[in-house]
Amino acid sequence: MNVDFLLKKAGISNICELDSKKVKTISTDIAIKLCLAFPEHSFNRQQLFNSFCRLNMYTANMASDSSGAKYVAETNSIYFNEDIDFTNVPDTAMHECIHYLQNTLSLTKSGFMGSHDFFSELALNEAAVQLMASEANMTDIVEEKYYDILLKTNSPNYYPLECALVNELMYFTGSYPLYHSVLYDSDVFKNTFIVKFSKKIYDKISRQLNKLLHLENELYYYIKELENTEKIHDIKQLNSIIATQKQAITKLFFSIQNYIIKNCFTYEFNSIRDAEDLHNFKNKLYNFKNIMGTSNNYTFYNDFYCDLMNALEQKQLEIERFGEISLFKTECTALTIVDDSKYAFNFIRTFVRKVKKLFKLNKGSINDYID
């Protein structure tokens, strides 16, 4: 694609190169922050500095809906909004420099953003990059409201809803798998999540996150149209569309969050074996309220919490009476929580098949017992 056309399409014009002193200042700041924030990823400060210094950095006139900076892989460049205060440039550059690292550290080495497996999961990738950027910049956690969704976030200005939901996923996997996948385009996060839960759950959440980002982008488009509209009829119509769009975003956010809560905690509940597991699970379930989104009418988490606490009481009595839960007991307890008779039937059928193999009994004798 022609570079001039690419930049024009991105709303980037009036480009002016940053002087080398400013480039070095930005490179130093970001290299230090990344090394301090993520020692587990074994960054080399000097190598990072040298790498960032090889980036082309410019100021430019940028679209009003831009984040203040944009990394363009095709030109190996970061473009900063010409109106930005230079003292804020390093913080703004962090997100884009992580995108640059993605392009250079990727195991696939294809050289183009969006062509990698993890990067192609757009919403998940953007939220994960922003979570890394906020952590590296040591951004304070603030309480904000978006479309009637109340959040505590360290990313109030960039992808706050997506960041909140991906942070909820990270609550169950830890940060290392996610950030490793961000940097190296690896399947570590995906595989970690699938092993703990399932591919079906992972795929659905990823698709829904992309849908959420799409709805927000549409909303920004309608808001921009409204700003440039003078006809009363068009203003009323756009206001109606915007209100509907905001409701759709709120509904989808809570739908994704509820799906995460229900499935991830149910899977972890079914993995409880002993008193220590039970204690840790209770704390994890309770503390989840500190990272989730809420609203005046939101009750799902509280209802789910009460139901699961009742189930935990039953599991605690079982542990106290019989000790560590065996595979058979765990399966039965899990099926009771899931409350799905077809799983119970499948488990009994599997159990019978294993018994037949173990004792080499014929089919007729087993059927006599289960009939």
Side-chain angles (χ1 to χ4, degrees):
M1 183 182 291
N2 181 276
V3 172
D4 291 335
F5 176 78
L6 183 70
L7 296 177
K8 184 178 180 181
K9 186 178 179 181
I12 299 172
S13 61
N14 193 29
I15 299 168
C16 181
E17 187 173 6
L18 279 182
D19 64 67
S20 59
K21 183 178 180 180
K22 289 182 178 179
V23 171
K24 289 180 180 179
T25 299
I26 295 170
S27 300
T28 300
D29 183 90
I30 294 176
I32 291 173
K33 286 178 177 177
L34 286 173
C35 289
L36 290 175
F38 308 109
E40 67 276 16
H41 292 287
S42 302
F43 287 127
N44 181 289
R45 176 179 164 183
Q46 188 62 47
Q47 288 178 356
L48 285 177
F49 170 79
N50 293 340
S51 183
F52 294 141
C53 282
R54 288 193 291 269
L55 266 168
N56 302 310
M57 297 189 190
Y58 305 94
T59 59
N61 182 275
M62 301 179 69
S64 59
D65 61 346
S66 69
S67 62
K70 185 174 180 63
Y71 169 65
V72 179
E74 288 79 358
T75 62
N76 190 43
S77 305
I78 295 180
Y79 301 87
F80 297 100
N81 193 313
E82 60 189 5
D83 296 329
I84 195 171
D85 180 356
F86 182 75
T87 58
N88 295 326
V89 165
D91 284 353
T92 305
M94 182 64 73
H95 183 106
E96 307 309 322
C97 282
I98 293 174
H99 275 317
Y100 165 71
L101 286 178
Q102 288 186 305
N103 204 46
T104 56
L105 298 178
S106 167
L107 298 178
T108 58
K109 300 293 184 183
S110 70
F112 292 97
M113 293 297 295
S115 59
H116 309 99
D117 291 338
F118 187 81
F119 304 166
S120 64
E121 300 182 61
L122 182 60
L124 179 58
N125 182 54
E126 285 295 346
V129 168
Q130 183 55 33
L131 286 170
M132 284 193 77
S134 295
E135 189 171 336
N137 285 329
M138 296 180 287
T139 309
D140 293 334
I141 295 176
V142 295
E143 191 169 75
E144 298 283 352
K145 182 176 283 190
Y146 309 89
Y147 323 118
D148 293 325
I149 304 167
L150 189 64
L151 291 175
K152 291 179 181 177
T153 178
N154 62 355
S155 180
N157 300 317
Y158 309 113
Y159 308 106
L161 300 186
E162 291 79 10
C163 284
L165 292 169
V166 173
N167 189 48
E168 291 176 10
L169 298 180
M170 191 165 59
Y171 187 74
F172 294 96
T173 65
S175 63
Y176 182 85
L178 181 66
Y179 294 162
H180 187 280
S181 291
V182 166
L183 293 169
Y184 300 102
D185 185 33
S186 75
D187 289 330
V188 172
F189 174 71
K190 181 177 181 178
N191 291 339
T192 299
F193 191 91
I194 289 173
V195 167
K196 286 179 67 68
F197 306 109
S198 76
K199 186 176 186 299
K200 178 182 176 182
I201 295 173
Y202 179 88
D203 289 343
K204 180 172 181 177
I205 292 172
S206 179
R207 289 194 305 270
Q208 294 296 85
L209 283 169
N210 285 337
K211 183 179 179 180
L212 180 65
L213 182 59
H214 178 70
L215 287 176
E216 288 192 282
N217 287 337
E218 284 187 335
L219 175 64
Y220 298 147
Y221 169 79
Y222 293 130
I223 291 174
K224 189 173 181 180
E225 284 291 299
L226 180 62
E227 292 173 351
N228 299 318
T229 300
E230 296 181 356
K231 294 181 179 180
I232 300 299
H233 175 269
D234 292 343
I235 291 174
K236 289 181 178 179
Q237 188 175 39
L238 283 168
N239 276 325
S240 177
I241 292 172
I242 288 170
T244 301
Q245 198 78 0
K246 287 181 177 180
Q247 290 174 0
I249 290 170
T250 300
K251 182 178 179 180
L252 181 56
F253 174 88
F254 283 119
S255 175
I256 299 171
Q257 178 171 278
N258 294 349
Y259 188 78
I260 292 171
I261 291 171
K262 179 181 178 181
N263 286 280
C264 293
F265 277 116
T266 297
Y267 266 81
E268 293 210 338
F269 173 89
N270 293 335
S271 299
I272 294 174
R273 295 289 187 272
D274 53 33
E276 183 179 359
D277 288 347
L278 192 143
H279 174 75
N280 292 337
F281 179 86
K282 282 184 178 179
N283 288 337
K284 192 169 187 177
L285 178 63
Y286 178 78
N287 289 327
F288 189 83
K289 65 183 178 62
N290 296 323
I291 65 167
M292 69 180 192
T294 62
S295 71
N296 291 335
N297 300 318
Y298 181 70
T299 62
F300 180 88
Y301 170 78
N302 288 337
D303 295 340
F304 183 82
Y305 180 88
C306 292
D307 290 341
L308 209 51
M309 288 302 291
N310 290 332
L312 281 169
E313 288 182 10
Q314 297 301 316
K315 182 161 282 197
Q316 184 171 354
L317 291 173
E318 185 179 357
I319 291 172
E320 290 173 353
R321 184 175 179 184
F322 301 107
E324 183 174 333
I325 299 175
S326 67
L327 173 63
F328 179 79
K329 291 176 183 176
T330 302
E331 290 287 350
C332 290
T333 304
L335 295 169
T336 301
I337 296 302
V338 174
D339 192 26
D340 192 331
S341 58
K342 72 176 182 178
Y343 292 119
F345 174 77
N346 289 338
F347 170 71
I348 293 172
R349 186 171 57 185
T350 302
F351 178 73
V352 169
R353 189 163 58 245
K354 290 181 179 180
V355 171
K356 287 166 68 176
K357 183 176 180 180
L358 179 63
F359 294 100
K360 297 182 180 179
L361 297 176
N362 61 49
K363 183 178 181 181
S365 62
I366 292 296
N367 286 338
D368 289 340
Y369 284 103
I370 65 173
D371 286 342

